[in-house]
Amino acid sequence: MRNPRWLSAALNQAATIGVTLLGLLILTFVIGRIMPVDPVRAIVGEEATREVYMNVYQQLGLDKPMWQQFLFYLRDVATLDFGTSLRTGQPVLDDILHVLPATIELATFAIVIGAGIGIPLGVLAAVNKDRWQDHAIRVFSLMGHSMPIFWTGMIGLLVFYAALGWVGGAGRMSQFYIGLVPDRTGFLLIDSALAGEWEVFRSAVNHLILPAALLGYSSSAYITRMTRSFMLDQINQEYVTTARVKGLSERKTIWSHAFGNIKVQLVTIVALAYGALLEGAVLIETVFAWPGFGQYLTSTLRMGDMNALMTCVLLVGVIFIALNLLSDLLYRVFDPRTR
Amino acid sequence: MLHSETGRAGARLRLPQGLSAFGNILKFLWKSPTSAFGLIVLGFLIATALLGPLLAPYDPYAQDLQNTLQAPSTAHWFGTDELGRDILSRLLFGAAITLRIIFLVTIVVGPIGMAVGTIAGYFGGRVDTVLMRITDIFLSFPSLILALAFVAALGPSLNNAIIAIALTAWPPIARLARAETLTFRKADYISAARLQGASSARIIWKSIVPMCLPSVMIRLTLNMATVILTAAGLGFLGLGAQPPMPEWGAMIATGRRYMIDSWWLVTFPGLAILTVSLAFNLLGDGLRDALDPKQMNRR
Amino acid sequence: METPILDVQDLRVHYRGAPQPAVQDVSFALGRERLGIVGESGSGKSTVGRALLKLLPTAEITATRMQFGETDLQAATEKQMLDIRGNRMSMILQDPKFSLNPIRRCGEQIAEAYLTHFRCSKREAKERALAMLEAVQIRDPHLVYDRYPHEVSGGMGQRIMIAMMLLAEPRLVIADEPTSALDVTVRLEVLKILDDLVREKGIGLIMISHDLNLVRNFCDRVLIMYAGRVVETLNAAELDRAQHPYTRGLLAAQPRIGGNRQPLPVLDRRPEWSQPMETSA
């Protein structure tokens, strides 16, 4: 008897995702169409004859009505054909797959740092609600939320790289090591470890730490605030009193009982924060010359590279939908009450 | 609680009541040091934006190639840039640009969000489903990336940046307005208006929109820090205000080249952005407390 | 009378920021007996229970005497209190729906109480917990051990709570409205289990309740609280001979089978009620 209900929930979910995806495609299609770039000109060049121009014009299907063009677009996307980048001359998908690992590496480190700062601070703020710790944490985290990350990146480089020399500068590793490690997974830390090149590995960590820390700090604001409010909900629950009555220390009561009950919610929050990191990544990658998705996106923008731009925007949307779905699933798996 | 009271009082009495509520909120904010800081900075920003031309010691566009990249001194408190322009003067003029962005985004986002939200909430059913689905699609992007895409489509300029930000900032407002609308859609005075033969448009405009206004205004304030950061980010990427305009983000972008030797080029504009967005965040935080009924009782 | 387990003189609890104390001038001594504290909601009866365990971080607790066995509770440090709570003094809370941690298995929560106070292996703690589940008359302890709180009934949940709180064999148990959240049909059953265990192990019991009849049947002595003070102390058997008008009012407001069908009298409160009476208890 449980099956149909489970099934209809899944179908409902799938339908919602389908509609959102379709909307996403319409949005990217519209953005592509209103771009002030002539895709034909970009392919054939300025000197092409009118005949060549018209030929390509028809090849691209631009003479067809809009709705038909949209159907072509849908077909292309369904077959994972995102066209060729006007800037690099490579298929857009290859380009993106090539740059994505660098961003994932950065974002993953950042979220680990962000959650590592944000969650304990949020708990501390909740336990000390309205005391000085709470106020100090609030200002600290709002500060992280208010920083223009591209600027903090520069100041960070000025202080920790140029003045103190504690961390590596721009790029994923020192110039000296570039090309030394074979590109197997695209994740430099993994590749260098696989190759046993520990010098490169150290250099990579050195270069990663500053942008990841800054990105993490900026995302910790949201994590701190949500952790605090989740914890405040739990602290006044009766089961927390039960834990105290049992003779558990305050630390154990908070961390092993109250905190245990917000873990599932936190997973959701961290997943969403991970998606939001993409935003900061676009800016910080520009500052740190990080050869990732963010930099690819910004150079795409500057060149008016239509295919690449549409695909980048689509990808970000899909990542967001996927993260939302993932956090939903995690909720179901980890919370005994939803099983 | 606030809603039902103002609702029964009718449209004419609402304004003075709203004003006194506004005064109360200001008083509450003033008591907490953090939100008082926010208020002061905001007041300072408005003053600078209005009086900038009078306060600025130099013409923000005047180049002085004899005096490029001068470190901060008594003549140039914040130093000069690569073209010898006075950075302090440029920052002061930049305040007006920031304020303009805030103002324009607000007057675009408020009405769009309000319209979508109240219509969805009032009519419900299929209208609601369609509008909210569209809202969700917009919400499924980080705002900066969507804004980037729009600016790329529209072409880089300050006005296009403002339009792009506005296009990405309305969904949360729409959601809020819808939620508010749902709470009093069934209220007696709405039914009364309907029975008297008022059109839906009239009911929404005269009875529902004024009720949503306070919370929408607060939400707009809360979003301002994000708007400022997004605008600065666009300026930094060269997609917003174009040089020689003294927009803070664009100033950082041009200063970046000289950063290693001339730290003041990027430091001061960055501090300006940080201060203003922090002020809005602190203010928003205070507002949240001010409107939390539990907190209000403690006064 | 033997030396009491608990001796409290002039207990006073003042929540920070509150205009007046929530509890004042509460004095009683408790031996190996069952003491009931009865009062309406807001009378301060629950506050007394929590003050004894020092579970009120936002309140100031003072007393001229607060002796629990060899320990002076008032002077006890938090570290000493950690050793007392759950080990020598414990408390059964009202509603198992809220008082059990929703994401931990019931059995683990019971075993944790043992592990906190005794050096032993997890296995031993589990065996203890299973034995205790049997003692509270749960038919299939292994099954219940692995259940989550939302998977057991209210009566079962409260038995789990009792098991958890009696596992370390404390000298004193405070039961704060232990059956108010339960179905009427299982109330007596749960109370009987509690009562049997308390008698068998010689544990002192403080039963906090608003239910006069229940307290009359399950306790030896009754404190009546009103507006933060003890207004009267009586032997349970002599409840009908109560002097204080508040107690009398409460008794009069009880429905009785076979009694007349007039509307029950309603309390007509007077300010002088908050003064205690000389009694014979």
Side-chain angles (χ1 to χ4, degrees):
Chain A
M1 271 291 99
R2 276 171 61 189
N3 235 8
R5 239 173 92 197
W6 170 84
L7 200 67
S8 82
L11 283 178
N12 219 335
Q13 180 89 301
T16 312
I17 292 170
V19 173
T20 313
L21 266 179
L22 188 68
L24 212 64
L25 287 163
I26 294 175
L27 197 66
T28 51
F29 181 74
V30 169
I31 288 172
R33 284 308 107 126
I34 56 175
M35 267 177 93
V37 178
D38 182 346
V40 184
R41 232 357 124 205
I43 292 171
V44 298
E46 293 298 325
E47 285 100 40
T49 60
R50 188 174 161 70
E51 201 174 318
V52 175
Y53 184 96
M54 285 317 291
N55 222 337
V56 175
Y57 188 80
Q58 278 167 14
Q59 264 179 20
L60 291 178
L62 294 174
D63 54 336
K64 302 278 188 335
M66 268 303 166
W67 63 268
Q68 226 169 343
Q69 289 187 37
F70 180 64
L71 288 183
F72 287 144
Y73 177 57
L74 283 190
R75 183 198 61 201
D76 290 346
V77 169
T79 54
L80 292 183
D81 173 12
F82 297 100
T84 309
S85 160
L86 302 178
R87 185 169 58 94
T88 62
Q90 303 282 328
V92 173
L93 192 60
D94 291 0
D95 273 356
I96 290 183
L97 288 179
H98 186 71
V99 295
L100 213 47
T103 299
I104 293 177
E105 205 165 61
L106 178 63
T108 307
F109 263 73
I111 201 69
V112 169
I113 294 172
I117 301 174
I119 293 173
L121 283 187
V123 172
L124 197 66
V127 173
N128 295 294
K129 183 170 185 280
D130 288 333
R131 267 179 272 182
W132 68 266
Q133 294 96 328
D134 186 21
H135 296 303
I137 288 168
R138 174 181 305 206
V139 172
F140 175 79
S141 72
L142 280 180
M143 195 86 162
H145 193 53
S146 309
M147 294 182 320
I149 184 120
F150 54 94
W151 174 74
T152 337
M154 287 183 210
I155 300 294
L157 277 175
L158 265 180
V159 174
F160 296 105
Y161 169 65
L164 298 171
W166 289 355
V167 298
R172 289 177 88 186
M173 57 190 139
S174 301
Q175 292 288 326
F176 182 70
Y177 297 118
I178 290 177
L180 210 63
V181 171
D183 188 3
R184 276 186 238 180
T185 60
F187 298 97
L188 187 58
L189 292 179
I190 298 176
D191 284 343
S192 57
L194 282 178
E197 294 279 2
W198 297 108
E199 286 284 307
V200 181
F201 184 84
R202 259 202 19 219
S203 172
V205 171
N206 246 335
H207 281 74
L208 183 61
I209 198 81
L210 182 60
L214 292 174
L215 213 48
Y217 176 34
S218 79
S219 73
S220 73
Y222 173 63
I223 298 177
T224 305
R225 145 154 300 175
M226 298 312 283
T227 308
R228 176 179 180 272
S229 87
F230 292 157
M231 275 309 270
L232 284 179
D233 284 346
Q234 297 299 325
I235 282 175
N236 296 320
Q237 302 277 329
E238 276 290 86
Y239 74 83
V240 174
T241 309
T242 305
R244 292 201 182 105
V245 171
K246 273 198 267 185
L248 293 185
S249 65
E250 198 54 28
R251 220 183 74 212
K252 262 200 165 158
T253 304
I254 295 296
W255 285 103
S256 110
H257 281 266
F259 185 71
N261 273 276
I262 69 164
K263 273 187 197 155
V264 183
Q265 288 164 294
L266 280 184
V267 169
T268 314
I269 289 310
V270 171
L272 294 180
Y274 191 81
L277 273 181
L278 286 175
E279 188 168 295
V282 170
L283 292 167
I284 206 120
E285 285 185 5
T286 309
V287 175
F288 282 84
W290 196 263
F293 178 76
Q295 216 181 35
Y296 183 77
L297 176 62
T298 41
S299 21
T300 294
L301 288 170
R302 292 214 183 91
M303 298 282 174
D305 188 344
M306 192 180 83
N307 285 341
L309 177 71
M310 286 164 75
T311 313
C312 286
V313 173
L314 186 64
L315 179 72
V316 171
V318 169
I319 290 177
F320 255 61
I321 295 175
L323 284 171
N324 268 310
L325 189 66
L326 182 75
S327 61
D328 229 47
L329 284 177
L330 288 172
Y331 212 105
R332 264 163 227 210
V333 173
F334 282 124
D335 194 328
R337 280 160 295 185
T338 56
R339 257 181 253 157
Chain B
M1 277 167 288
L2 197 125
H3 309 307
S4 55
E5 272 171 26
T6 47
R8 255 178 261 124
R12 219 153 281 160
L13 280 171
R14 193 172 301 125
L15 195 65
Q17 238 182 23
L19 273 183
S20 79
F22 184 70
N24 279 342
I25 290 173
L26 274 187
K27 246 186 255 162
F28 179 86
L29 289 176
W30 193 248
K31 277 189 190 144
S32 136
T34 50
S35 43
F37 169 81
L39 280 179
I40 292 170
V41 171
L42 185 61
F44 195 69
L45 180 75
I46 294 172
T48 338
L50 295 175
L51 305 174
L54 300 174
L55 295 171
Y58 297 88
D59 176 350
Y61 296 102
Q63 303 185 2
D64 179 0
L65 298 175
Q66 303 295 313
N67 274 318
T68 59
L69 300 175
Q70 293 294 308
S73 63
T74 43
H76 299 279
W77 287 2
F78 289 178
T80 64
D81 67 6
E82 75 283 2
L83 295 171
R85 295 172 295 196
D86 181 53
I87 290 180
L88 175 62
S89 304
R90 287 177 69 71
L91 284 182
L92 292 175
F93 273 80
I97 299 177
T98 302
L99 207 64
R100 181 167 139 207
I101 295 170
I102 294 173
F103 178 72
L104 289 176
V105 168
T106 309
I107 62 167
V108 177
V109 165
I112 295 181
M114 195 79 115
V116 173
T118 50
I119 290 172
Y122 180 76
F123 290 106
R126 200 158 291 172
V127 179
D128 184 30
T129 314
V130 170
L131 287 178
M132 279 305 111
R133 208 92 300 268
I134 294 173
T135 312
D136 282 348
I137 290 163
F138 275 83
L139 269 180
S140 67
F141 282 103
S143 59
L144 179 71
I145 290 186
L146 195 57
L148 280 178
F150 280 128
V151 180
L154 298 168
S157 80
L158 179 59
N159 285 336
N160 286 346
I162 292 172
I163 295 172
I165 294 172
L167 278 174
T168 62
W170 64 268
I173 305 293
R175 288 214 142 239
L176 178 72
R178 172 178 175 268
E180 291 274 300
T181 307
L182 286 180
T183 58
F184 38 70
R185 175 167 75 139
K186 294 265 160 64
D188 289 343
Y189 65 91
I190 303 275
S191 317
R194 206 177 294 145
L195 287 174
Q196 283 168 3
S199 66
S200 296
R202 194 184 157 82
I203 293 174
I204 290 177
W205 178 243
K206 289 275 179 184
S207 305
I208 294 183
V209 166
M211 305 293 285
C212 298
L213 212 53
S215 47
V216 165
M217 295 295 279
I218 287 151
R219 186 61 213 239
L220 282 170
T221 318
L222 286 174
N223 280 1
M224 275 316 138
T226 317
V227 168
I228 289 167
L229 289 181
T230 310
L234 288 174
F236 170 72
L237 292 172
L239 296 164
Q242 299 296 309
M245 231 187 204
E247 197 269 326
W248 297 340
M251 284 171 74
I252 294 177
T254 41
R256 193 176 156 209
R257 254 167 286 157
Y258 311 94
M259 176 178 83
I260 300 287
D261 300 310
S262 314
W263 55 268
W264 53 93
L265 253 61
V266 295
T267 307
F268 293 115
L271 282 177
I273 301 171
L274 173 64
T275 313
V276 174
S277 87
L278 183 63
F280 273 107
N281 271 329
L282 291 172
L283 207 57
D285 218 56
L287 269 180
R288 238 188 294 241
D289 284 351
L291 296 165
D292 180 358
K294 279 182 237 147
Q295 295 271 342
M296 282 302 256
N297 291 339
R298 219 187 273 167
R299 275 182 308 172
Chain C
M1 194 170 152
E2 55 180 324
T3 46
I5 298 173
L6 181 71
D7 187 1
V8 176
Q9 293 291 328
D10 299 327
L11 175 67
R12 177 190 168 95
V13 183
H14 197 154
Y15 286 103
R16 236 163 273 150
Q20 59 205 30
V23 165
Q24 53 190 323
D25 303 332
V26 169
S27 307
F28 61 92
L30 179 88
R32 300 206 160 176
E33 59 181 332
R34 296 159 303 163
L35 174 74
I37 300 182
V38 180
E40 58 198 12
S41 35
S43 61
K45 56 191 195 306
S46 284
T47 301
V48 170
R50 278 162 207 241
L52 292 175
L53 281 160
K54 292 177 91 171
L55 285 174
L56 302 166
T58 60
E60 217 170 306
I61 302 168
T62 50
T64 48
R65 193 174 158 78
M66 219 166 132
Q67 192 75 25
F68 174 62
E70 309 80 56
T71 318
D72 175 7
L73 288 179
Q74 223 187 335
T77 60
E78 176 65 15
K79 204 169 159 231
Q80 284 171 296
M81 286 312 295
L82 288 183
D83 187 44
I84 290 174
R85 286 185 208 130
N87 187 13
R88 292 162 57 201
M89 189 197 307
S90 66
M91 179 158 78
I92 292 160
L93 298 169
Q94 182 172 351
D95 190 344
K97 229 186 292 150
F98 301 112
S99 54
L100 294 173
N101 188 337
I103 58 157
R104 294 271 202 95
R105 292 177 197 280
C106 295
E108 284 168 27
Q109 298 190 47
I110 301 172
E112 188 185 30
Y114 197 76
L115 276 170
T116 309
H117 295 289
F118 300 93
R119 255 168 206 274
C120 67
S121 66
K122 284 206 168 154
R123 238 188 94 162
E124 196 188 330
K126 180 171 180 172
E127 271 160 25
R128 290 272 179 170
L130 285 171
M132 199 64 209
L133 278 174
E134 217 155 339
V136 293
Q137 296 176 22
I138 285 177
R139 249 164 270 140
D140 193 345
H142 285 275
L143 190 73
V144 172
Y145 190 95
D146 285 328
R147 288 248 167 108
Y148 285 100
H150 70 278
E151 294 169 332
V152 301
S153 67
M156 184 89 84
Q158 202 59 316
R159 285 192 240 177
I160 290 166
M161 188 79 193
I162 292 170
M164 191 188 314
M165 289 310 172
L166 296 186
L167 184 54
E169 307 215 347
R171 298 183 61 192
L172 171 63
V173 171
I174 301 161
D176 188 354
E177 304 264 12
T179 55
S180 314
L182 303 183
D183 275 352
V184 183
T185 45
V186 295
R187 273 185 195 175
L188 279 181
E189 205 182 323
V190 169
L191 270 178
K192 179 109 179 37
I193 291 168
L194 178 63
D195 193 49
D196 287 349
L197 284 169
V198 167
R199 279 166 191 267
E200 182 187 315
K201 299 183 189 235
I203 299 172
L205 175 73
I206 295 179
M207 170 97 79
I208 296 167
S209 178
H210 62 267
D211 188 340
L212 263 182
N213 274 333
L214 184 146
V215 168
R216 182 205 300 245
N217 292 332
F218 278 92
C219 294
D220 306 317
R221 229 158 27 108
V222 184
L223 298 187
I224 314 286
M225 280 191 76
Y226 180 74
R229 293 170 201 260
V230 176
V231 291
E232 198 167 16
T233 309
L234 291 160
N235 284 327
E238 295 164 356
L239 208 55
D240 286 328
R241 274 183 259 157
Q243 304 283 313
H244 196 280
Y246 175 64
T247 320
R248 295 180 69 92
L250 279 185
L251 285 167
Q254 299 274 335
R256 229 159 277 208
I257 293 175
N260 65 23
R261 296 192 185 173
Q262 298 298 315
L264 292 167
V266 176
L267 279 179
D268 178 20
R269 288 154 203 279
R270 297 185 189 217
E272 67 267 18
W273 283 5
S274 32
Q275 295 313 312
M277 292 211 35
E278 296 300 317
T279 46
S280 57

PDB file of all heavy atoms in Angstrom, chain A residues 115-132:
ATOM      1  N   ALA A 115      31.936  25.635   6.170  1.00  0.00           N
ATOM      2  CA  ALA A 115      31.160  24.866   7.147  1.00  0.00           C
ATOM      3  C   ALA A 115      31.958  24.707   8.431  1.00  0.00           C
ATOM      4  O   ALA A 115      31.401  24.747   9.527  1.00  0.00           O
ATOM      5  CB  ALA A 115      30.787  23.507   6.566  1.00  0.00           C
ATOM      6  N   GLY A 116      33.270  24.542   8.283  1.00  0.00           N
ATOM      7  CA  GLY A 116      34.130  24.390   9.448  1.00  0.00           C
ATOM      8  C   GLY A 116      34.115  25.608  10.347  1.00  0.00           C
ATOM      9  O   GLY A 116      34.218  25.500  11.562  1.00  0.00           O
ATOM     10  N   ILE A 117      33.977  26.781   9.754  1.00  0.00           N
ATOM     11  CA  ILE A 117      33.871  28.007  10.561  1.00  0.00           C
ATOM     12  C   ILE A 117      32.429  28.215  10.987  1.00  0.00           C
ATOM     13  O   ILE A 117      32.125  28.483  12.145  1.00  0.00           O
ATOM     14  CB  ILE A 117      34.307  29.251   9.746  1.00  0.00           C
ATOM     15  CG1 ILE A 117      35.736  29.134   9.260  1.00  0.00           C
ATOM     16  CG2 ILE A 117      34.140  30.518  10.576  1.00  0.00           C
ATOM     17  CD1 ILE A 117      36.129  30.283   8.334  1.00  0.00           C
ATOM     18  N   GLY A 118      31.525  28.109  10.009  1.00  0.00           N
ATOM     19  CA  GLY A 118      30.146  28.540  10.225  1.00  0.00           C
ATOM     20  C   GLY A 118      29.384  27.698  11.233  1.00  0.00           C
ATOM     21  O   GLY A 118      28.665  28.242  12.076  1.00  0.00           O
ATOM     22  N   ILE A 119      29.543  26.388  11.172  1.00  0.00           N
ATOM     23  CA  ILE A 119      28.726  25.532  12.036  1.00  0.00           C
ATOM     24  C   ILE A 119      29.090  25.710  13.515  1.00  0.00           C
ATOM     25  O   ILE A 119      28.223  25.992  14.334  1.00  0.00           O
ATOM     26  CB  ILE A 119      28.801  24.065  11.569  1.00  0.00           C
ATOM     27  CG1 ILE A 119      28.117  23.942  10.208  1.00  0.00           C
ATOM     28  CG2 ILE A 119      28.162  23.136  12.583  1.00  0.00           C
ATOM     29  CD1 ILE A 119      28.253  22.599   9.545  1.00  0.00           C
ATOM     30  N   PRO A 120      30.399  25.599  13.888  1.00  0.00           N
ATOM     31  CA  PRO A 120      30.723  25.807  15.305  1.00  0.00           C
ATOM     32  C   PRO A 120      30.338  27.209  15.786  1.00  0.00           C
ATOM     33  O   PRO A 120      29.815  27.356  16.893  1.00  0.00           O
ATOM     34  CB  PRO A 120      32.243  25.630  15.359  1.00  0.00           C
ATOM     35  CG  PRO A 120      32.610  24.907  14.124  1.00  0.00           C
ATOM     36  CD  PRO A 120      31.596  25.219  13.098  1.00  0.00           C
ATOM     37  N   LEU A 121      30.562  28.214  14.958  1.00  0.00           N
ATOM     38  CA  LEU A 121      30.206  29.573  15.379  1.00  0.00           C
ATOM     39  C   LEU A 121      28.698  29.699  15.579  1.00  0.00           C
ATOM     40  O   LEU A 121      28.239  30.340  16.525  1.00  0.00           O
ATOM     41  CB  LEU A 121      30.674  30.602  14.346  1.00  0.00           C
ATOM     42  CG  LEU A 121      32.161  30.941  14.340  1.00  0.00           C
ATOM     43  CD1 LEU A 121      32.444  32.092  13.388  1.00  0.00           C
ATOM     44  CD2 LEU A 121      32.630  31.309  15.744  1.00  0.00           C
ATOM     45  N   GLY A 122      27.932  29.084  14.690  1.00  0.00           N
ATOM     46  CA  GLY A 122      26.478  29.144  14.818  1.00  0.00           C
ATOM     47  C   GLY A 122      26.016  28.502  16.115  1.00  0.00           C
ATOM     48  O   GLY A 122      25.149  29.032  16.821  1.00  0.00           O
ATOM     49  N   VAL A 123      26.612  27.350  16.448  1.00  0.00           N
ATOM     50  CA  VAL A 123      26.239  26.663  17.689  1.00  0.00           C
ATOM     51  C   VAL A 123      26.626  27.529  18.888  1.00  0.00           C
ATOM     52  O   VAL A 123      25.830  27.732  19.812  1.00  0.00           O
ATOM     53  CB  VAL A 123      26.928  25.280  17.775  1.00  0.00           C
ATOM     54  CG1 VAL A 123      26.695  24.649  19.130  1.00  0.00           C
ATOM     55  CG2 VAL A 123      26.426  24.376  16.667  1.00  0.00           C
ATOM     56  N   LEU A 124      27.837  28.068  18.836  1.00  0.00           N
ATOM     57  CA  LEU A 124      28.320  28.910  19.933  1.00  0.00           C
ATOM     58  C   LEU A 124      27.407  30.124  20.123  1.00  0.00           C
ATOM     59  O   LEU A 124      27.066  30.488  21.252  1.00  0.00           O
ATOM     60  CB  LEU A 124      29.741  29.375  19.596  1.00  0.00           C
ATOM     61  CG  LEU A 124      30.579  29.919  20.738  1.00  0.00           C
ATOM     62  CD1 LEU A 124      30.874  28.809  21.721  1.00  0.00           C
ATOM     63  CD2 LEU A 124      31.875  30.505  20.209  1.00  0.00           C
ATOM     64  N   ALA A 125      26.995  30.729  19.010  1.00  0.00           N
ATOM     65  CA  ALA A 125      26.124  31.903  19.099  1.00  0.00           C
ATOM     66  C   ALA A 125      24.784  31.527  19.714  1.00  0.00           C
ATOM     67  O   ALA A 125      24.238  32.261  20.535  1.00  0.00           O
ATOM     68  CB  ALA A 125      25.938  32.514  17.716  1.00  0.00           C
ATOM     69  N   ALA A 126      24.269  30.361  19.338  1.00  0.00           N
ATOM     70  CA  ALA A 126      22.961  29.951  19.862  1.00  0.00           C
ATOM     71  C   ALA A 126      23.051  29.665  21.355  1.00  0.00           C
ATOM     72  O   ALA A 126      22.190  30.079  22.133  1.00  0.00           O
ATOM     73  CB  ALA A 126      22.471  28.720  19.113  1.00  0.00           C
ATOM     74  N   VAL A 127      24.112  28.966  21.763  1.00  0.00           N
ATOM     75  CA  VAL A 127      24.260  28.613  23.176  1.00  0.00           C
ATOM     76  C   VAL A 127      24.416  29.870  24.030  1.00  0.00           C
ATOM     77  O   VAL A 127      23.936  29.942  25.150  1.00  0.00           O
ATOM     78  CB  VAL A 127      25.466  27.664  23.356  1.00  0.00           C
ATOM     79  CG1 VAL A 127      25.744  27.435  24.823  1.00  0.00           C
ATOM     80  CG2 VAL A 127      25.199  26.343  22.653  1.00  0.00           C
ATOM     81  N   ASN A 128      25.072  30.888  23.458  1.00  0.00           N
ATOM     82  CA  ASN A 128      25.297  32.139  24.200  1.00  0.00           C
ATOM     83  C   ASN A 128      24.391  33.254  23.709  1.00  0.00           C
ATOM     84  O   ASN A 128      24.795  34.410  23.648  1.00  0.00           O
ATOM     85  CB  ASN A 128      26.743  32.579  24.056  1.00  0.00           C
ATOM     86  CG  ASN A 128      27.691  31.613  24.704  1.00  0.00           C
ATOM     87  OD1 ASN A 128      27.689  31.457  25.914  1.00  0.00           O
ATOM     88  ND2 ASN A 128      28.468  30.920  23.895  1.00  0.00           N
ATOM     89  N   LYS A 129      23.174  32.903  23.349  1.00  0.00           N
ATOM     90  CA  LYS A 129      22.273  33.888  22.754  1.00  0.00           C
ATOM     91  C   LYS A 129      22.204  35.181  23.577  1.00  0.00           C
ATOM     92  O   LYS A 129      22.092  35.144  24.809  1.00  0.00           O
ATOM     93  CB  LYS A 129      20.866  33.290  22.673  1.00  0.00           C
ATOM     94  CG  LYS A 129      19.882  34.210  22.007  1.00  0.00           C
ATOM     95  CD  LYS A 129      18.572  33.480  21.743  1.00  0.00           C
ATOM     96  CE  LYS A 129      17.625  34.346  20.969  1.00  0.00           C
ATOM     97  NZ  LYS A 129      16.925  35.316  21.800  1.00  0.00           N
ATOM     98  N   ASP A 130      22.338  36.297  22.864  1.00  0.00           N
ATOM     99  CA  ASP A 130      22.243  37.642  23.459  1.00  0.00           C
ATOM    100  C   ASP A 130      23.382  37.998  24.396  1.00  0.00           C
ATOM    101  O   ASP A 130      23.354  39.026  25.075  1.00  0.00           O
ATOM    102  CB  ASP A 130      20.908  37.852  24.200  1.00  0.00           C
ATOM    103  CG  ASP A 130      19.768  37.971  23.210  1.00  0.00           C
ATOM    104  OD1 ASP A 130      20.029  38.388  22.071  1.00  0.00           O
ATOM    105  OD2 ASP A 130      18.630  37.638  23.572  1.00  0.00           O
ATOM    106  N   ARG A 131      24.390  37.130  24.468  1.00  0.00           N
ATOM    107  CA  ARG A 131      25.572  37.515  25.226  1.00  0.00           C
ATOM    108  C   ARG A 131      26.630  38.055  24.270  1.00  0.00           C
ATOM    109  O   ARG A 131      26.433  38.048  23.063  1.00  0.00           O
ATOM    110  CB  ARG A 131      26.103  36.312  26.010  1.00  0.00           C
ATOM    111  CG  ARG A 131      25.507  36.307  27.417  1.00  0.00           C
ATOM    112  CD  ARG A 131      25.994  35.135  28.197  1.00  0.00           C
ATOM    113  NE  ARG A 131      25.122  33.982  27.964  1.00  0.00           N
ATOM    114  CZ  ARG A 131      25.291  32.813  28.548  1.00  0.00           C
ATOM    115  NH1 ARG A 131      26.272  32.617  29.380  1.00  0.00           N
ATOM    116  NH2 ARG A 131      24.464  31.820  28.321  1.00  0.00           N
ATOM    117  N   TRP A 132      27.769  38.466  24.794  1.00  0.00           N
ATOM    118  CA  TRP A 132      28.744  39.127  23.909  1.00  0.00           C
ATOM    119  C   TRP A 132      29.242  38.207  22.799  1.00  0.00           C
ATOM    120  O   TRP A 132      29.495  38.642  21.686  1.00  0.00           O
ATOM    121  CB  TRP A 132      29.900  39.713  24.713  1.00  0.00           C
ATOM    122  CG  TRP A 132      30.795  38.693  25.359  1.00  0.00           C
ATOM    123  CD1 TRP A 132      30.696  38.211  26.627  1.00  0.00           C
ATOM    124  CD2 TRP A 132      31.906  38.015  24.766  1.00  0.00           C
ATOM    125  NE1 TRP A 132      31.667  37.267  26.850  1.00  0.00           N
ATOM    126  CE2 TRP A 132      32.425  37.135  25.745  1.00  0.00           C
ATOM    127  CE3 TRP A 132      32.515  38.069  23.508  1.00  0.00           C
ATOM    128  CZ2 TRP A 132      33.514  36.310  25.505  1.00  0.00           C
ATOM    129  CZ3 TRP A 132      33.611  37.234  23.264  1.00  0.00           C
ATOM    130  CH2 TRP A 132      34.097  36.373  24.251  1.00  0.00           C
TER     131      TRP A 132
END
